[in-house]
Amino acid sequence: MVAGGLYNPVVLKRFTAVWESDTQLDIALKHYNNLEKLLKVTLDYKIPVYRKFASVEEQNNWFLASDKPKLDKYLSSKIISNNNKAIKADFGFGEVQHTGRIDVNKLIKSYKTFLDYHNALKEESFNYDALKVKKDYLSYKNSIGKHIVFSEGFGVTKNPFFKNLPLSPTKGELLTIYAPELKIDFVLKGPVFLIPIGNDLYIVGATYELYDLTHNTTQKAKTKLLEGLKSMISCPFEIINQVAGIRPTVKDRRPLVGQHKDYKNMYLLNGLGTRGVMIGPYVAKQLYELIHKDIPLEKDISLSRLN
């Protein structure tokens, strides 16, 4: 509910391609387009990412990266000069193409409404003790099904059926600011991300915290985000909101997907980390094909790699 929703096929810290970025992006964008038609809402907002350069050396590294086969269609080879007085960028920007933002909050709310309409959603805390696992079916209270998929994010840490997963959850905090003088129609990436969401409002994010795994917002994160923001912009702004969430990140930076080793009608879809809007449709499609077509998962995402 608090995710920024940015999809970006490039790791901008190191100028490298995201794992399976071409395939992920192709599947994800088709999926969100289908959801827009189904839910009759706009979810996918196409918007370029401008990477702010801190030095001539970073410009040179960008040029080198833009020639690489997996990056040349994403990284523009032109340096964009800064002509916005509200932005501090003496060395200009590099543009990442084929990027955008999924309105995750709207997606969740709209999909819940759709499921409610079709009487296909129950909103309640799950009681693991009430799940009865049989050879050919499962029962839960008054419901019977062939399969169950646990897709709980950080909540999987309380799931008795999927214990001891190599999950390394990280807390992330975001600010929403109002900056009427900024006037940008691109995502600005420097020490933090600055994502325009309309009406002179911007999301500023995000932090990475390993030890405090509550959903409480903190002054420490706020200070860190403001330091990054003030190094990028010089115009006045007002903080509208601060939110926190827990990312289900994994030690090897790959999702956790697949079948329970003992209960063959029980499955997991988790570990989407910091790039859920890109990875989610990609791994969900593979899990669907495993369950319904018996097509094996690729090794990189499968729980079998942990054995």
Side-chain angles (χ1 to χ4, degrees), residues 211-222:
Y211 302 106
D212 170 17
L213 297 180
T214 69
H215 283 83
N216 301 326
T217 58
T218 64
Q219 182 60 45
K220 176 185 172 184
K222 182 178 179 180

Side-chain angles (χ1 to χ4, degrees), residues 39 240 243 251 280:
L39 304 175
I240 303 297
V243 293
K251 290 177 182 177

Side-chain angles (χ1 to χ4, degrees), residues 190-206:
V192 293
F193 270 110
L194 192 59
I195 307 173
I197 56 174
N199 301 314
D200 296 318
L201 295 172
Y202 300 85
I203 294 171
V204 183

Side-chain angles (χ1 to χ4, degrees), residues 75-240:
L75 301 184
S76 170
S77 58
K78 297 177 182 177
I79 299 293
I80 298 172
S81 299
N82 177 36
N83 55 14
N84 187 329
K85 293 179 180 178
I87 299 175
K88 303 174 183 176
D90 293 341
F91 297 95
F93 317 101
E95 181 182 354
V96 188
Q97 299 161 335
H98 307 289
T99 57
R101 178 179 70 90
I102 300 299
D103 190 332
V104 182
N105 195 289
K106 188 195 294 184
L107 168 58
I108 293 170
K109 288 178 179 177
S110 302
Y111 201 66
K112 277 186 175 181
T113 301
F114 172 81
L115 292 174
D116 269 332
Y117 178 79
H118 291 280
N119 195 30
L121 176 67
K122 288 185 179 179
E123 292 194 78
E124 60 182 52
S125 295
F126 190 83
N127 178 5
Y128 298 102
D129 293 333
L131 180 66
K132 307 302 178 188
V133 185
K134 306 297 182 181
K135 184 179 179 183
D136 298 317
Y137 69 95
L138 308 103
S139 66
Y140 180 77
K141 298 182 180 178
N142 297 321
S143 299
I144 292 178
K146 278 188 176 182
H147 313 282
I148 184 168
V149 178
F150 287 105
S151 187
E152 304 158 289
F154 172 55
V156 76
T157 54
K158 297 178 182 176
N159 186 324
F161 299 106
F162 289 98
K163 292 181 177 177
N164 305 317
L165 293 171
L167 210 65
S168 302
T170 55
K171 178 176 179 175
E173 297 191 48
L174 302 167
L175 300 176
T176 302
I177 65 165
Y178 175 64
E181 294 178 26
L182 188 52
K183 303 296 182 192
I184 61 173
D185 57 358
F186 51 86
V187 174
L188 180 59
K189 173 66 174 83
V192 293
F193 270 110
L194 192 59
I195 307 173
I197 56 174
N199 301 314
D200 296 318
L201 295 172
Y202 300 85
I203 294 171
V204 183
T207 57
Y208 294 84
E209 167 60 49
L210 297 173
Y211 302 106
D212 170 17
L213 297 180
T214 69
H215 283 83
N216 301 326
T217 58
T218 64
Q219 182 60 45
K220 176 185 172 184
K222 182 178 179 180
T223 300
K224 188 171 182 62
L225 290 171
L226 289 176
E227 284 176 358
L229 178 63
K230 288 175 181 177
S231 74
M232 294 163 60
I233 68 172
S234 56
C235 61
F237 61 87
E238 177 187 352
I239 298 171
I240 303 297

